[in-house]
Amino acid sequence: MTAYEAVKVRLDPTPRQARLLASHAGAARFAYNLMLSHVRRQLSLGEHPDWTMYAMRRWWNEWKDEIAPWWRENSKEAYNSAFEWLSQALKNWADSRKGRRGGRRVGWPKYKSKRTSIPRFAYTTGSFGLIDGDPKALRLPRIGRVHCMENTARLVHGRRIVRMTVSRRAGAWYAALTVEQQPDTRPMAKTRRRDYPVGVDLGVKTLATLSDGTIFPNPHGYDRAQRRLRRAQRTLSRRDKDTNHGRGSNRWRKALDRVQRIYARIAAQRADRIGKLTTWLAVTYPDISIEDLNVQGMTRNHSLAKHVLDADFGEFRRQLEYKTARAGTRLHVIDRWYPSSKTCHRCGTVKAKLPLSERVYRCDECGMTMDRDLNAAINIMVAGSAPETLNARGGDVR
């Protein structure tokens, strides 16, 4: 079975190349909106449209010379990527409507706006990818050699590139490379630094508390950026966004770029924090136990929603799952109904209530006093190391 990994690098295009990248992204947005209008027109006429990617491509090849005589200015891959994304969006809508897709109900696809949508396009065929003898560059058809901010060849490490998605975020262009890798060739972890299992309790006050007493503080990056973000958004609200044929004034675009850069910095700090922590856990411990947190339910508490989303518990688990598999570490996921915070790890007494304001766990039976997060981490570690058992609701504690 073939496994895939993503490698994301920042591009350093020249002004001419930046204009070409924006042209390709604009062409993909045009093709997406055009085909969405075509599907809506067919539905309004009572027809049964074929919204597969191949049907969209056939219709585009038939009418592109009349609708968009300038289409040759950009690579055909820009248009094909738009058809692929729209076809997948329509399929998700249909599957969600018929109950074949889990999770939240998916709505009808919306038109992509030049103002708010993320400029992007993708390459799946053609001579794209690395350049021999030039490790800090990528080849993009119809654009040419584009310099990268880091050694891309070292990150790819000789693996085959099957897809390259180019996008622009906060004024910077990025290339996400999907590389092919066989599972049996994944590098195994070196000698473990610690040879005992560990339980990880995630929280808002402290990002992660381990059962051996190690604590990783939560820097609260979003809270720390609130002052700068408020000022930038206040300035943006005072600019004229409806002038220049709806594209906004120059000062509005500059203010918008500033807001986007602040958000991008917050996201980069969060990704760096989660990435380093999950990598360290995967290569340090042989067994890791975590909770199956209901993040969506936690965000319903409006007093904690902002802090829960800033901690990014879902991304923590996602990265830990594939990094432990790659490093040969065993990962145990404890059932979300397991009362890890309310249970005394010494005598097993379970409290009926434990409000969030009580940061110290005090057992009424044995008198044990301990930080509540550390007590929960120990219970998680014990539950992950124990044989398979069932909880009170009949579910597997793992």
Side-chain angles (χ1 to χ4, degrees):
M1 181 178 178
T2 305
Y4 297 95
E5 292 185 3
V7 175
K8 190 174 183 178
V9 295
R10 179 173 174 176
L11 302 178
D12 184 25
T14 62
R16 173 185 171 276
Q17 291 175 341
R19 290 192 296 269
L20 291 175
L21 292 173
S23 176
H24 279 66
R29 183 182 65 252
F30 171 83
Y32 185 97
N33 293 338
L34 175 67
M35 198 57 60
L36 182 57
S37 298
H38 175 63
V39 172
R40 291 170 62 95
R41 188 183 308 110
Q42 288 181 307
L43 291 175
S44 64
L45 296 176
E47 302 177 4
H48 297 282
D50 184 3
W51 53 48
T52 61
M53 181 184 65
Y54 303 102
M56 294 180 183
R57 188 183 300 176
R58 287 194 301 268
W59 187 88
W60 166 258
N61 290 332
E62 182 180 356
W63 296 97
K64 61 184 178 182
D65 290 328
E66 297 183 16
I67 298 176
W70 42 263
W71 69 269
R72 292 182 178 84
E73 299 176 4
N74 306 291
S75 173
K76 63 180 180 62
E77 289 296 295
Y79 310 104
N80 292 337
S81 59
F83 303 148
E84 178 186 357
W85 293 329
L86 178 58
S87 175
Q88 186 62 44
L90 291 170
K91 182 179 182 300
N92 293 340
W93 170 79
D95 292 344
S96 178
R97 188 182 181 187
K98 297 178 181 179
R100 296 196 297 260
R101 177 185 172 89
R104 291 182 176 181
R105 189 177 181 88
V106 179
W108 179 261
K110 298 180 180 180
Y111 290 102
K112 289 186 178 295
S113 170
K114 183 177 181 180
R115 176 184 292 180
T116 58
S117 63
I118 297 176
R120 61 170 183 164
F121 62 97
Y123 293 102
T124 56
T125 60
S127 58
F128 67 91
L130 299 176
I131 302 176
D132 294 337
D134 195 354
K136 289 189 175 182
L138 287 173
R139 180 187 293 108
L140 279 66
R142 303 303 297 271
I143 297 176
R145 175 197 178 276
V146 180
H147 183 71
C148 300
M149 302 294 286
E150 52 188 321
N151 192 325
T152 310
R154 180 178 58 84
L155 298 176
V156 175
H157 197 62
R159 295 170 291 183
R160 189 172 75 92
I161 302 176
V162 298
R163 185 186 182 91
M164 178 168 59
T165 304
V166 183
S167 60
R168 182 179 183 269
R169 296 175 183 272
W173 288 96
Y174 297 89
L177 309 176
T178 303
V179 296
E180 187 179 81
Q181 178 175 314
Q182 298 297 331
D184 53 358
T185 61
R186 291 181 177 180
M188 299 300 291
K190 299 179 181 179
T191 304
R192 305 287 179 184
R193 302 177 188 176
R194 303 176 186 179
D195 57 353
Y196 52 86
V198 68
V200 182
D201 179 70
L202 300 178
V204 172
K205 185 177 181 181
T206 57
L207 179 60
T209 302
L210 308 188
S211 57
D212 59 2
T214 307
I215 296 177
F216 293 91
N218 189 356
H220 300 284
Y222 187 76
D223 279 348
R224 294 170 60 183
Q226 284 291 288
R227 183 177 180 182
R228 292 186 293 113
L229 189 58
R230 280 195 298 267
R231 295 182 63 180
Q233 289 176 329
R234 190 183 303 121
T235 302
L236 177 64
S237 65
R238 293 170 178 168
R239 300 293 183 253
D240 189 357
K241 66 177 181 179
D242 297 324
T243 187
N244 198 9
H245 302 286
R247 291 176 294 187
S249 64
N250 292 334
R251 302 183 76 183
W252 178 85
R253 286 196 292 269
K254 291 180 181 179
L256 179 62
D257 290 340
R258 184 184 178 189
V259 173
Q260 291 177 345
R261 285 196 300 269
I262 296 175
Y263 274 116
R265 179 176 175 82
I266 296 172
Q269 291 174 341
R270 184 185 302 120
D272 180 74
R273 177 174 68 249
I274 297 297
K276 290 179 179 178
L277 176 55
T278 52
T279 300
W280 182 83
L281 288 171
V283 301
T284 302
Y285 297 95
D287 288 88
I288 302 174
S289 300
I290 61 174
E291 284 184 297
D292 181 21
L293 296 176
N294 182 14
V295 180
Q296 183 177 356
M298 296 169 67
T299 55
R300 295 172 185 167
N301 186 340
H302 299 293
S303 300
L304 295 176
K306 178 175 66 176
H307 306 286
V308 170
L309 295 176
D310 187 29
D312 209 353
F313 298 146
E315 181 66 13
F316 180 91
R317 174 176 173 178
R318 187 192 72 85
Q319 292 193 21
L320 197 60
E321 285 179 347
Y322 78 81
K323 288 181 180 180
T324 52
R326 183 172 57 188
T329 303
R330 291 180 293 272
L331 178 64
H332 310 284
V333 181
I334 311 303
D335 186 82
R336 65 178 55 177
W337 301 109
Y338 178 69
S340 59
S341 299
K342 299 179 181 180
T343 304
C344 175
H345 79 275
R346 180 180 296 177
C347 65
T349 302
V350 181
K351 285 191 174 185
K353 293 183 179 181
L354 184 64
L356 292 174
S357 57
E358 293 186 16
R359 304 312 305 171
V360 178
Y361 184 92
R362 295 180 176 88
C363 182
D364 300 331
E365 296 294 332
C366 64
M368 190 272 298
T369 302
M370 179 180 289
D371 179 79
R372 64 174 290 161
D373 294 337
L374 179 58
N375 176 70
I378 296 175
N379 288 327
I380 293 172
M381 183 269 295
V382 173
S385 303
E388 301 289 342
T389 56
L390 298 179
N391 59 14
R393 294 175 178 264
D396 192 340
V397 298
R398 298 242 180 131

